[in-house]
Amino acid sequence: MVHSLSMRRLPSRSGEPSRTWANGPARLAGPTLSRTHGAWTWFKGLARLAGPTLLIAVFVHAGEPSRPAYKVSIQEEKAVVVESDAPIDPVERIRFQRQGNMYITIQDENNRTLHLSHFPSLYLDGRAIQIGQGEGRFEMSGAKLPKSATGKERTGYMTVCVVGDIRVTQTLELIATKAPAPGQKRRMDAMLIKHIVENKGNQPHKVGVRAYMDTYIIDNDGALFAAPTMPGKILDGIELKDKTLPDYVQILQRPDLKDPGFVAHLTLGLGSGVEKASRVVLTRHGVGFNMWDMQPAMAGGDSALGIFWEPKELKPGTKR
């Protein structure tokens, strides 16, 4: 399971129906948080995963994916896949911190808050487990990422936690996005957060993942949402699934479709090689703690969301 978050200051079109992500093997498989021209946009970034892999990714443009190297960018609310061979500006435009275990916080280059917290929960055989919180054994925490397939250094961390037979690997990586204009350098302004869940035991297990986000954009702890499947609406306390599940969700600094300020795009449609999230719940911070499910609730000044990959049987030796 994968999702990507990118932050970009785009033209104020956050409520317009945008073109959907096209499926295909060249699509990036991880959530990315990227920032170009000011608004934030969720990106996909793992064109290199093979087999059933469960990824959750948040990007802030940076890093070099393995070959073939592709990136997904949003321009004029359109998803574009491009080869990543342009030169890179090495200045890190996004800052992210681990808060222990698998918690993440994100700021821009001016230390403005873009994200209060992001952490995964595991569904395991009928139980909801907040990974690393009182249960599980860490094989590594905050380890340096291995070099890319082309031998380049990568900026980020890797954490591995084992819960019973299930091994969860989280990687945080700063990556570069598409150049804002021809002749310009790509910027290190996206972050990929990826989770891979493996069954290392001898018995099948029913496994799912939920990514929880305590949303915050610049100065708004109650940032609300928009989606291309529900054009022209500010979304508050809604579950998006089936026909209303979009390829991305927008998180708005201001609840005004004509003047939204910073806009974050949470990308859910990450290509045919990666399992798409089952549903997204837009809710209030604190809803769903210590349990698997989350109910939609009005934000009331403190918004949050949950991204679900529903439980499925995971056979021994396989992964999502």
Side-chain angles (χ1 to χ4, degrees):
M1 301 172 195
V2 177
H3 66 263
S4 87
L5 171 66
S6 83
M7 299 293 200
R8 298 188 156 189
R9 182 161 293 158
L10 299 171
S12 298
R13 299 184 182 182
S14 44
E16 295 183 6
S18 305
R19 300 182 190 179
T20 58
W21 298 98
N23 285 335
R27 290 294 183 262
L28 295 179
T32 63
L33 173 61
S34 80
R35 176 177 179 275
T36 60
H37 311 309
W40 295 91
T41 307
W42 291 96
F43 283 74
K44 317 183 255 186
L46 288 180
R48 57 180 178 270
L49 287 178
T53 301
L54 172 59
L55 302 176
I56 297 175
V58 177
F59 279 11
V60 181
H61 291 124
E64 290 289 338
S66 344
R67 294 183 180 181
Y70 297 90
K71 284 194 170 48
V72 176
S73 180
I74 297 178
Q75 290 184 332
E76 299 294 331
E77 304 292 20
K78 172 183 176 182
V80 180
V81 178
V82 295
E83 292 188 4
S84 55
D85 55 358
I88 296 174
D89 178 354
V91 176
E92 296 182 2
R93 308 289 178 176
I94 293 295
R95 299 171 181 175
F96 59 101
Q97 292 82 35
R98 297 173 52 254
Q99 293 183 317
N101 299 325
M102 291 187 174
Y103 279 64
I104 306 147
T105 60
I106 303 169
Q107 297 82 32
D108 73 358
E109 58 196 301
N110 297 314
N111 286 324
R112 294 182 297 180
T113 300
L114 304 174
H115 194 54
L116 285 178
S117 66
H118 175 290
F119 60 88
S121 294
L122 183 70
Y123 179 101
L124 178 57
D125 297 332
R127 301 171 55 227
I129 300 168
Q130 193 168 316
I131 301 171
Q133 295 293 313
E135 186 167 355
R137 172 179 57 84
F138 282 93
E139 290 186 351
M140 64 177 68
S141 180
K144 183 178 179 181
L145 293 177
K147 291 182 179 180
S148 72
T150 57
K152 294 184 178 181
E153 295 289 343
R154 299 159 65 197
T155 301
Y157 309 97
M158 180 167 62
T159 297
V160 178
C161 186
V162 177
V163 182
D165 289 339
I166 304 303
R167 187 175 191 261
V168 182
T169 301
Q170 179 193 71
T171 60
L172 316 177
E173 182 175 2
L174 186 66
I175 64 166
T177 49
K178 183 179 182 292
Q184 296 187 17
K185 292 182 178 180
R186 296 161 53 207
R187 302 176 66 178
M188 299 284 281
D189 59 356
M191 190 179 93
L192 169 66
I193 301 173
K194 173 178 65 174
H195 295 86
I196 301 174
V197 178
E198 306 171 81
N199 183 354
K200 307 297 283 187
N202 298 317
Q203 301 295 324
H205 294 281
K206 195 169 186 179
V207 179
V209 166
R210 182 190 78 185
Y212 182 95
M213 290 181 58
D214 182 2
T215 49
Y216 191 109
I217 303 293
I218 306 298
D219 57 4
N220 188 359
D221 197 9
L224 297 182
F225 311 92
T229 53
M230 303 183 72
K233 296 181 179 180
I234 298 293
L235 307 181
D236 186 8
I238 290 176
E239 183 177 56
L240 301 172
K241 63 180 181 179
D242 301 327
K243 291 184 178 180
T244 62
L245 181 67
D247 283 325
Y248 62 87
V249 173
Q250 294 170 311
I251 311 170
L252 315 177
Q253 181 186 2
R254 294 187 290 271
D256 184 339
L257 297 179
K258 294 182 179 179
D259 184 21
F262 269 69
V263 177
H265 289 71
L266 169 61
T267 301
L268 305 169
L270 302 170
S272 60
V274 176
E275 181 181 344
K276 185 176 179 178
S278 310
R279 57 190 171 107
V280 176
V281 177
L282 310 179
T283 190
R284 182 177 63 250
H285 178 52
V287 172
F289 276 17
N290 301 317
M291 62 183 67
W292 169 252
D293 209 359
M294 296 172 64
Q295 297 301 316
M298 302 289 281
D302 194 357
S303 58
L305 63 83
I307 309 163
F308 288 80
W309 288 264
E310 298 294 1
K312 295 181 180 179
E313 183 178 84
L314 196 62
K315 295 183 183 298
T318 62
K319 63 178 70 174
R320 291 180 73 187

